[in-house]
């Protein structure tokens, strides 16, 4: 499922949003918007996906999806959860295409803060801003 989430992150940003992803080499120190989605797969068991986005990235996504260049805080928070849902939902579709069983729960905005050490972290960069996808087993 982790590989599917990585593939999904790239496809959502590149194919659906037109934002090229590249590796981010340095861990960002700024605060970002975070959302979590618990998911499970038959092969890997229960896990939690967390996405982390900096505000400028969310503003760019807002301009693309909502045609809103200056979204308010509530919109940024909702957009964080929707992007998490989009990424994990797309991963679920990829899993289905491969006949892999998985289920996802509703995304939950968990706040604004730094990118913390929490499970396996994949860092990407788009338009000079890092974004992160973290995967963690609930009891880890």
């Amino acid at each position: 499922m982790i590989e599917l989430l990585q593939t999904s992150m790239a496809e959502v940003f590149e194919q659906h949003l037109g934002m090229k992803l590249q590796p981010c080499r340095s861990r960002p120190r700024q605060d970002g918007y975070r959302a979590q989605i618990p998911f499970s797969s038959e092969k890997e068991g229960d896990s939690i996906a967390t996405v982390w986005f900096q505000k400028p990235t969310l503003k760019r996504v807002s301009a693309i999806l909502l045609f809103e260049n200056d979204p308010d805080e509530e919109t940024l928070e909702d957009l964080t959860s929707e992007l998490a849902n989009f990424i994990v939902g797309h991963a679920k579709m990829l899993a289905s295409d491969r006949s892999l069983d998985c289920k996802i729960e509703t995304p939950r905005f968990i706040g604004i803060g730094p990118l913390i050490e929490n499970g396996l972290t994949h860092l990407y960069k788009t338009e000079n801003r890092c974004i992160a996808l973290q995967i963690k087993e609930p009891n880890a």
Side-chain angles (χ1 to χ4, degrees):
M1 187 68 179
I2 293 169
E3 283 182 31
L4 294 178
L5 286 165
Q6 290 177 284
T7 300
S8 179
M9 177 79 98
E11 289 181 2
V12 164
F13 272 85
E14 293 178 8
Q15 295 174 9
H16 298 279
L17 300 173
M19 298 172 74
K20 178 84 173 137
L21 289 186
Q22 299 173 331
C24 183
R25 306 240 184 261
S26 60
R27 192 172 195 85
R29 299 182 191 275
Q30 304 86 347
D31 284 348
Y33 291 70
R34 299 173 293 183
Q36 286 185 338
I37 300 177
F39 69 94
S40 62
S41 68
E42 197 173 279
K43 184 178 179 181
E44 297 171 9
D46 294 337
S47 299
I48 298 173
T50 302
V51 291
W52 180 94
F53 305 106
Q54 291 177 325
K55 191 173 193 173
T57 301
L58 289 173
K59 283 185 162 189
R60 177 72 177 120
V61 171
S62 176
I64 292 166
L65 294 178
L66 306 174
F67 307 105
E68 175 65 51
N69 291 321
D70 193 23
D72 60 21
E73 283 300 308
E74 183 178 355
T75 300
L76 293 172
E77 292 172 11
D78 289 345
L79 191 55
T80 302
S81 294
E82 286 305 316
L83 276 171
N85 191 43
F86 195 5
I87 291 162
V88 175
H90 188 72
K92 184 175 180 176
M93 182 201 67
L94 294 171
S96 177
D97 290 348
R98 292 169 174 82
S99 300
L100 302 172
D101 186 39
C102 71
K103 75 174 190 180
I104 61 172
E105 296 181 26
T106 304
R108 181 174 63 94
F109 179 74
I110 59 168
I112 300 169
L115 182 61
I116 56 175
E117 294 290 334
N118 191 10
L120 181 63
T121 301
H122 300 278
L123 294 175
Y124 306 93
K125 181 170 63 171
T126 183
E127 298 182 2
N128 252 356
R129 302 283 181 196
C130 280
I131 60 176
L133 170 66
Q134 293 181 307
I135 311 295
K136 169 181 180 261
E137 295 178 11
N139 298 326

